[in-house]
Amino acid sequence: MGEMLKRSPDQLNEVHDVTEFRDAGRCRVTPVARFDAPVAQALVDTLTDIVRRAHAEPKATAPDEEGIVRAQTFEEGEVFMLEAPFDGYFADRYLMDFYDVGQRGICSRMHLHTGLRFVRMMTGPGTRIRVSSLSPFHMLHAEGITPFALEQFTDELPDTPDGVTVPRYNAVVPENAWVDMQIPRAVSHQFNAIGPHAVIDSVHPEESIETFRERMSGYRMMAQTVFLAEDLPAAETCDQLPDTAIA
């Protein structure tokens, strides 16, 4: 699976059979910092406001001089590309304003990318992010430095074929927190925000390389995504957290 390519490079909703899938590695998670609630709220509000203003700006919702639409919509939330790849630097970077799964009644799907990813997750008051994968997380803990540990638990992936059980590994980003995650190429993951104040600052270091490797017709965010479910599951499949993660 480490050399996964898309079957149809321009397909934006390509779905692979989850029963046939095996992760090429494991996500690495780094708890970075906790903030006082007003500080966390100000940080998240400032970043999500950038995304919201972009989605209200006609120039950001139409192709720019490079043919890229910088304000887009993903399954997990609204997105604004802060920077696109350019010659000599093959990465893009974007901000995502998370949807609250409780407000819209559905969860995002488990998925993977054909290139590696780096995500910085930030939460405000009354909000947690449930991060999931089909493989256990590798959690960084530097003694005397790492400020907190993430709650972890295991459940079953929803909506699998009859008679098939797929374990799902989960970690909970707490309120008012900053947590980083490195996602190797072809490793499953799923993000769902439980609460209204969450943002991701994401870097995609192989994005433009993938355009050539996959033989896509053009550069587009989301084109390098492969889903492991046909439909978005119901909210109750991702908004349940252990009691110890609620406080």
Side-chain angles (χ1 to χ4, degrees):
M1 298 303 293
E3 295 304 316
M4 173 176 285
L5 298 176
K6 295 190 71 172
R7 299 189 190 106
S8 177
D10 292 319
Q11 171 62 255
L12 299 183
N13 190 37
E14 183 164 302
V15 179
H16 287 201
D17 182 357
V18 70
T19 63
E20 299 292 325
F21 176 76
R22 297 294 181 274
D23 278 320
R26 296 167 62 186
C27 296
R28 290 179 172 250
V29 180
T30 307
V32 178
R34 296 292 299 271
F35 301 100
D36 292 337
V39 174
Q41 185 75 69
L43 176 61
V44 172
D45 285 351
T46 297
L47 296 178
T48 56
D49 183 61
I50 294 171
V51 180
R52 293 170 188 177
R53 284 190 287 111
H55 277 260
E57 172 53 58
K59 288 184 178 180
T61 56
D64 63 11
E65 62 276 6
E66 298 173 294
I68 297 172
V69 178
R70 303 250 174 168
Q72 299 187 20
T73 299
F74 289 4
E75 281 199 355
E76 302 94 339
E78 304 293 318
V79 170
F80 175 64
M81 182 187 287
L82 294 170
E83 183 57 272
F86 55 88
D87 288 344
Y89 194 83
F90 307 110
D92 72 9
R93 182 181 178 202
Y94 67 66
L95 294 175
M96 175 185 287
D97 178 9
F98 264 115
Y99 294 129
D100 179 353
V101 298
Q103 287 186 346
R104 67 174 186 162
I106 51 175
C107 306
S108 66
R109 290 176 284 178
M110 188 71 71
H111 63 282
L112 59 132
H113 302 291
T114 59
L116 58 91
R117 300 288 189 265
F118 170 83
V119 295
R120 172 160 292 162
M121 299 171 279
M122 290 167 278
T123 57
T127 304
R128 291 162 297 278
I129 299 172
R130 176 170 166 169
V131 190
S132 307
S133 178
L134 300 182
S135 296
F137 296 102
H138 177 95
M139 291 284 179
L140 176 72
H141 179 78
E143 192 65 37
I145 300 172
T146 303
F148 60 97
L150 270 61
E151 179 78 16
Q152 298 185 69
F153 65 99
T154 304
D155 65 353
E156 295 180 6
L157 188 70
D159 302 332
T160 54
D162 290 344
V164 176
T165 299
V166 179
R168 176 172 60 175
Y169 300 88
N170 305 275
V172 182
V173 178
E175 298 181 34
N176 309 318
W178 164 5
V179 174
D180 289 346
M181 185 163 79
Q182 293 162 278
I183 307 169
R185 183 182 179 205
V187 174
S188 62
H189 55 287
Q190 179 184 33
F191 302 107
N192 285 289
I194 304 167
H197 307 299
V199 66
I200 272 184
D201 181 1
S202 182
V203 181
H204 297 177
E206 292 184 286
E207 200 84 294
S208 58
I209 292 175
E210 289 172 276
T211 301
F212 296 103
R213 182 169 61 207
E214 308 288 328
R215 294 185 172 85
M216 298 170 186
S217 62
Y219 173 78
R220 295 184 309 281
M221 289 191 286
M222 280 300 293
Q224 294 82 6
T225 299
V226 175
F227 294 101
L228 295 172
E230 290 280 354
D231 302 309
L232 277 71
E236 56 265 26
T237 66
C238 71
D239 65 1
Q240 305 301 307
L241 301 175
D243 292 341
T244 51
I246 303 299

